[in-house]
Amino acid sequence: MTTTLPAYDEVVARFEPVIGLETHVELGTNTKMFCGCPTDFGGEPNTRVCPVCLGLPGSLPVANKAAIEATVRIGLALNCSIASWCRFARKNYFYPDMPKNFQISQYDEPLCVDGYLDVEVNGETVRIGIERVHLEEDTGKTLHVGGATGRIHGATESLVDYNRAGIPLVEIVTKPIPGTGALAPEVARAYVTELRDVLRSLGVSDVRMEEGSLRCDVNTSLNLPGAEWGTRTETKNVNSLRSVERAVRSEMLRQASVLDAGGRITQETRHFHEETGDTTPGRSKETATDYRYFPEPDLVPVAPDPAWVAELRAALPELPRLHRRRLQQEWGLSDLDMQSVLNAGAVELIEATIAAGTTPAAARKWWLGELSRRANETGVELADVGATPAQVAELQGLVDAGKLNDKLARTVLEGVVAGEGSPTEIMTNRGLEVVSDTGALTAAVDEAIAANPDIADKIRSGKVAAAGALVGAVMKTTRGQADAKTVRELILSRL
């Protein structure tokens, strides 16, 4: 039976959403959290493992100092207080991708607490409270084979790869975020975007959502105005910025539909489906007591030296929000123009394109114009559209050198996005270079003059603006490859 969902505007007019986000970040350390196994993505299944990360009897963990340092730096960048003393705990639960049947994590004594991150949404600053930043180990990866959905239901067998088990994983948990109203989905996306930028600026992770090094769990609930907060659901492992926004919106619509029908929201995990934008039930959500936490007996407590923490604080890089303000001034953009760049997710792309040798205006034109249009049409992030900043700078360099006009440059860009090679290679292979040789263009100019005697007479009589029609005729004859300026000069000299 298909349920008709209410309109989004109707939902936000009657209900107040409360959201929260739990973001898992795989740290870019050379080795795993408690052993010396490498952390590189990929590799043959179950080849990057050892007795420690497999939880074999007699093996003992040793904490990775680089991971602890990275977590402290994340906490400082998020304005958190850093614990003077904390320890790891065992989080007990059975799942095939947990080789020890427990996860070494932090429970009641996290490394970083009580911070915040400011994000910009529609020109307004929204402060997102950070509840905690804690360090743990990642799980392995389960692959369900034989079913239609890739999930366990309907699968004929399940395979487990423990290469990822034990990789340092930071969990960043926000406080509940009320009061965002209709902007709740956009606030969720803006937060994950800003957090990703912060983590990238710190150099602690490659934050590639498509590879699972940044994963987001989205909590959503609805309540009537003035009433207590509703029961929340947790949409697990949302793996793109666009999907974070869609997951919040989808859950708001679904929960409103359930409440309107007199039903109750179940506290549970849910799965987000990229192809439909819907969520489906996972499992009832455990509470902390279900995990039987207790202090990890094989690891000593962590007590960061305040002087060391102060050194890390002093060495923090320029954070993205301040960095963007500086770029806005350097690029000479208005607040509205900068917001367009932010909305498109193009700040780093434009900055890299400028660094590759072009102007802010040219870089902005390509990324916010042709490339943004293609990203929207194909439903991918702008960074994944198929062109690199270096290629865009090279393309603009060909335009600046007079080898391509704007129309031909767009054609070349099609080839770049399609993977045909560099702009120069595509221009050469397709024979798209602008023809500016007067000898090669003279015949086309004479042909256009002969075919349009009335326009030629107007030009002879002093109506120079009429030359545009003859320029257009020559451009058509040369399939857009003529240099318009040279053509105009030839026309005027002939007449």
Side-chain angles (χ1 to χ4, degrees):
M1 179 178 176
T2 302
T3 302
T4 302
L5 297 177
Y8 184 74
D9 290 344
E10 180 187 343
V11 171
V12 296
R14 294 187 293 113
F15 295 99
E16 293 180 348
V18 179
I19 59 175
L21 297 111
E22 302 172 18
T23 308
H24 293 82
V25 184
E26 281 188 356
L27 297 180
T29 55
N30 293 326
T31 57
K32 291 185 179 181
M33 185 62 222
F34 300 112
C35 66
C37 291
T39 58
D40 299 334
F41 179 76
E44 289 297 315
N46 299 309
T47 57
R48 296 173 181 176
V49 294
C50 72
V52 174
C53 57
L54 288 178
L56 298 183
S59 61
L60 291 174
V62 177
N64 185 329
K65 180 182 177 182
I68 294 172
E69 177 178 322
T71 306
V72 171
R73 293 179 70 228
I74 292 171
L76 292 172
L78 297 178
N79 304 288
C80 290
S81 299
I82 308 303
S84 58
W85 188 94
C86 64
R87 56 185 171 181
F88 288 99
R90 287 190 181 182
K91 179 181 180 181
N92 294 271
Y93 65 98
F94 172 77
Y95 207 70
D97 59 11
M98 290 295 300
K100 297 190 291 283
N101 285 342
F102 64 84
Q103 179 186 37
I104 300 178
S105 181
Q106 291 184 309
Y107 171 46
D108 54 345
E109 297 164 320
L111 192 51
C112 317
V113 295
D114 197 23
Y116 65 87
L117 181 64
D118 289 336
V119 301
E120 298 286 337
V121 181
N122 285 2
E124 299 292 328
T125 299
V126 179
R127 175 157 291 185
I128 309 297
I130 304 297
E131 180 73 36
R132 58 192 283 144
V133 179
H134 69 256
L135 184 58
E136 59 191 23
E137 58 179 340
D138 207 348
T139 62
K141 186 174 182 180
T142 305
L143 178 66
H144 302 296
V145 181
T149 65
R151 301 194 183 279
I152 194 169
H153 302 292
T156 57
E157 57 185 329
S158 295
L159 307 176
V160 184
D161 178 8
Y162 290 123
N163 281 353
R164 195 176 70 182
I167 287 180
L169 192 69
V170 166
E171 182 172 358
I172 303 165
V173 182
T174 72
K175 297 176 181 178
I177 310 166
T180 56
L183 293 177
E186 296 174 59
V187 169
R189 176 173 180 157
Y191 165 77
V192 179
T193 302
E194 185 73 11
L195 179 62
R196 183 188 65 173
D197 291 345
V198 169
L199 296 168
R200 186 181 288 131
S201 73
L202 294 173
V204 296
S205 172
D206 59 20
V207 288
R208 291 178 179 165
M209 298 187 81
E210 71 279 5
E211 293 183 359
S213 54
L214 177 65
R215 310 193 292 275
C216 188
D217 299 339
V218 181
N219 294 278
T220 312
S221 70
L222 292 181
N223 59 272
L224 294 171
E228 292 185 2
W229 290 347
T231 301
R232 65 183 175 87
T233 61
E234 182 181 359
T235 306
K236 299 289 288 185
N237 294 332
V238 184
N239 62 5
S240 75
L241 298 175
R242 178 170 174 262
S243 293
V244 168
E245 181 175 347
R246 293 172 70 206
V248 173
R249 185 181 297 268
S250 174
E251 265 303 280
M252 288 173 63
L253 295 176
R254 186 194 67 83
Q255 291 185 22
S257 177
V258 172
L259 295 172
D260 286 344
R264 300 181 64 180
I265 304 301
T266 302
Q267 184 172 345
E268 62 187 357
T269 63
R270 296 186 67 85
H271 299 296
F272 180 75
H273 301 278
E274 294 278 351
E275 63 279 4
T276 63
D278 298 328
T279 66
T280 53
R283 54 185 167 84
S284 61
K285 180 62 178 173
E286 292 88 346
T287 61
T289 54
D290 294 323
Y291 289 123
R292 295 184 294 114
Y293 282 98
F294 64 86
E296 168 57 63
D298 292 332
L299 287 169
V300 297
V302 178
D305 182 356
W308 177 62
V309 173
E311 289 177 10
L312 295 179
R313 187 190 303 275
L316 287 177
E318 181 182 38
L319 294 179
R321 200 156 177 257
L322 301 176
H323 184 63
R324 289 194 298 269
R325 286 181 186 168
R326 179 171 60 79
L327 291 179
Q328 181 179 350
Q329 293 179 342
E330 291 178 1
W331 297 349
L333 300 182
S334 66
D335 289 343
L336 185 61
D337 287 341
M338 192 64 184
Q339 190 60 50
S340 297
V341 173
L342 292 174
N343 292 343
V347 174
E348 292 182 355
L349 295 168
I350 291 174
E351 185 178 16
T353 305
I354 294 169
T358 192
T359 64
R364 201 167 135 258
K365 177 190 76 171
W366 289 113
W367 286 111
L368 266 61
E370 194 71 13
L371 291 168
S372 282
R373 180 182 66 78
R374 291 176 180 277
N376 290 333
E377 286 177 352
T378 55
V380 301
E381 300 293 337
L382 189 57
D384 300 324
V385 76
T388 66
Q391 289 171 328
V392 174
E394 182 183 343
L395 180 71
Q396 184 60 40
L398 295 173
V399 174
D400 294 340
K403 295 184 177 182
L404 292 175
N405 56 34
D406 207 53
K407 180 180 178 182
L408 293 173
R410 288 196 295 273
T411 302
V412 169
L413 188 59
E414 290 178 3
V416 170
V417 171
E420 295 180 20
S422 70
T424 302
E425 291 170 342
I426 295 167
M427 178 188 71
T428 303
N429 294 340
R430 290 198 189 184
L432 295 174
E433 186 170 353
V434 165
V435 179
S436 56
D437 176 56
T438 56
L441 294 176
T442 299
V445 168
D446 289 343
E447 181 181 332
I449 291 173
N452 300 276
D454 52 337
I455 297 176
D457 288 340
K458 288 181 181 180
I459 297 171
R460 289 190 182 98
S461 66
K463 296 179 179 178
V464 177
L470 294 184
V471 172
V474 174
M475 296 299 287
K476 184 177 181 180
T477 300
T478 60
R479 295 178 300 163
Q481 289 184 245
D483 178 58
K485 181 180 178 182
T486 302
V487 170
R488 189 173 188 278
E489 291 172 353
L490 280 173
I491 291 170
L492 295 179
S493 68
R494 306 292 270 188
L495 297 175

